[in-house]
Amino acid sequence: MGDGIGRYRGTESKLAQWLRRRPKRTAADIENDREKALLAVAAAGMPLAPAAYPVGYRCSCERIGCPTPARHPVSFAWQTQSTTDRAQIERWARNQPEANFITATGMVHDVLDVPLAAGRAALERLLGEGVEVGPVAVSGVSEDRPGEGRMLFFTATRGTPEDEDEWWPCELDCHPETMDEHPGLRWHCRGSYVLVPPSRLPGDEGAQPVLAWLRGPEHALPEPLSLLEALTDACARHAAEQAEHGEPADHGVAWPLSR
């Protein structure tokens, strides 16, 4: 158990150090790292498409009152546009240097999306129990608010069972009535998407929240059910602690299924 927790704490420490002290790099270095990171996601089989990006506290789409600034695809055809083709991703990355990128879920992979505090507790438990954990990313983390945000666990997709009654589209995981059963948890499957690192979220230019890998896309995708119990338990405890301290429920913002 100690080894697993030690690996997690070491990773968390590296992330904290990275947030506090980012090395000075040229624009070319940043762009090269961005392109490599996107190609690594595609090489893992996760299809990508360009997304909006932050302009200060606003969204590049310039939609008044954009509900999820810098978190949504550029095209309404993002599901068919998403690809793992290296040449296409290189073109997008070079022609749209400011763009974030999303990956469409439900084709190769799903994503279990939880509050950051719950995710940290679940990750420590899973690694301590020797459970195979796949890629993990944190979003909404900034230098001045390192404890806020979400944690994204990338898993194999649930697929399409022979009995369609056992399968549900992602819309059902975003409705308010599901929040009491699994507070704070969202299961991104068919019909949904998430941002992938490296992505930036709206905020002060000097301390912009980011999306970063804790465990990169080189890790194999686990079965979602192997993680679900730990994640739901951690979310329930997190919600109970918030209620005990009189804090508002931290469900975050659901990813919209259309712009």
Side-chain angles (χ1 to χ4, degrees), residues 138-150:
V138 290
S139 74
V141 178
S142 63
E143 293 177 355
D144 56 339
R145 295 188 300 274
E148 296 183 9
R150 307 282 295 182

Side-chain angles (χ1 to χ4, degrees), residues 2-39:
D3 290 343
I5 295 176
R7 286 196 301 272
Y8 165 65
R9 287 176 177 165
T11 303
E12 182 182 11
S13 175
K14 289 179 182 178
L15 175 64
Q17 293 172 12
W18 175 80
L19 285 169
R20 288 195 300 269
R21 186 177 63 257
R22 303 180 198 179
K24 291 183 178 180
R25 297 182 298 162
T26 66
D29 290 334
I30 294 171
E31 180 56 29
N32 188 47
D33 288 350
R34 171 176 174 264
E35 190 171 306
K36 285 182 178 178
L38 293 172
L39 290 173

Side-chain angles (χ1 to χ4, degrees), residues 59-128:
C59 181
S60 62
C61 72
E62 298 184 351
R63 173 182 174 184
I64 297 175
C66 176
T68 52
R71 293 176 174 90
H72 62 78
V74 173
S75 172
F76 288 105
W78 57 270
Q79 293 189 70
T80 55
Q81 182 188 51
S82 298
T83 183
T84 59
D85 181 73
R86 181 185 182 93
Q88 180 60 69
I89 292 167
E90 287 176 342
R91 284 193 294 271
W92 280 334
R94 294 169 188 177
N95 294 334
Q96 304 178 51
E98 296 294 322
N100 287 337
F101 277 78
I102 60 99
T103 180
T105 53
M107 292 186 279
V108 173
H109 66 294
D110 289 352
V111 172
L112 298 170
D113 173 359
V114 299
L116 182 58
R120 282 176 168 160
L123 183 58
E124 182 172 345
R125 170 182 165 182
L126 290 164
L127 291 177

Side-chain angles (χ1 to χ4, degrees), residues 46-58:
M46 304 181 197
L48 298 174
Y53 58 90
V55 180
Y57 284 95
R58 298 181 295 104

